Amino acid sequence: MPLSSPSGSRASTSPGTARQFQSPKQPINAPMPSVKTAILLTPGPVSTFSAFSYSGPRSLRKISKQQYMEAAMQLQEECLGTTVTLKKGSCPSAVCFIKKPPAEAKEFLEITGYSSMDKYTERFIRPVPPSIKNRVWDKLVMLGYFIESGEDDLSVLSDRDGQNRY
């Protein structure tokens, strides 16, 4: 049944006149410094696109994978970590950004100004997010990017399984 407007005329509610909403999956175009800072402050020593989409700042969770990869590559060029692409059989590849330990990143953090040393260290020693799958973590250990355990407080991280990993 048609609806009446305040002026008394009838308004149509046909499907063609319905409001158009933006798709929740549509990527946003965020400023690159914000994306780079958010990658550096992702919990744990490694960040993946899926972990970033899960635990990054809400305003940046919808960036495209391409924008994440560009930011990770720029961070690598700025000597703040290493970008690694892991191929998982027929599945899409996982792009990982492996952050430098705080002691090695200090000079570069001061130059770039992306984060304070205290905040970077606090986020670096947190457990890796659950969105980083065990097979991705195990592949990074197998490739020699991380060791299974260590004695130093900054190198011993407890992941979601309760095992010590760095």
Side-chain angles (χ1 to χ4, degrees):
M1 171 177 196
L3 301 174
S4 295
S5 68
S7 63
S9 64
R10 294 182 182 247
S12 172
T13 57
S14 65
T17 61
R19 289 179 127 182
Q20 297 296 320
F21 292 100
Q22 186 175 12
S23 167
K25 295 288 184 183
Q26 187 171 2
I28 62 167
N29 189 12
M32 196 56 73
S34 300
V35 175
K36 292 194 276 189
T37 299
I39 290 172
L40 290 173
L41 297 180
T42 302
V46 64
S47 173
T48 62
F49 177 69
S50 64
F52 183 84
S53 298
Y54 176 77
S55 62
R58 288 191 190 276
S59 62
L60 299 176
R61 288 183 185 177
K62 292 182 182 178
I63 66 168
S64 67
K65 190 172 187 175
Q66 181 64 33
Q67 191 173 8
Y68 176 87
M69 289 172 42
E70 288 173 15
M73 292 302 290
Q74 288 178 16
L75 286 170
Q76 180 174 325
E77 291 169 5
E78 294 168 353
C79 301
L80 288 166
T82 305
T83 304
V84 178
T85 303
L86 301 176
K87 183 72 176 148
K88 302 177 285 183
S90 61
C91 299
S93 58
V95 177
C96 304
F97 180 73
I98 301 167
K99 301 181 227 175
K100 281 197 170 187
E104 295 177 29
K106 182 178 180 178
E107 176 186 347
F108 301 105
L109 284 172
E110 290 171 356
I111 292 170
T112 60
Y114 292 130
S115 173
S116 70
M117 189 63 191
D118 292 338
K119 195 170 196 176
Y120 180 79
T121 302
E122 186 265 325
R123 296 294 178 96
F124 184 88
I125 62 174
R126 284 189 180 178
V128 293
S131 56
I132 296 180
K133 307 289 185 227
N134 281 336
R135 66 178 179 269
V136 171
W137 182 264
D138 292 340
K139 183 79 169 180
L140 291 171
V141 170
M142 185 184 81
L143 292 171
Y145 288 103
F146 297 97
I147 54 175
E148 284 295 330
S149 65
E151 300 302 321
D152 168 351
D153 284 344
L154 292 179
S155 65
V156 178
L157 301 176
S158 176
D159 71 348
R160 62 196 169 280
D161 296 333
Q163 298 172 340
N164 289 331
R165 293 185 171 173
Y166 169 31

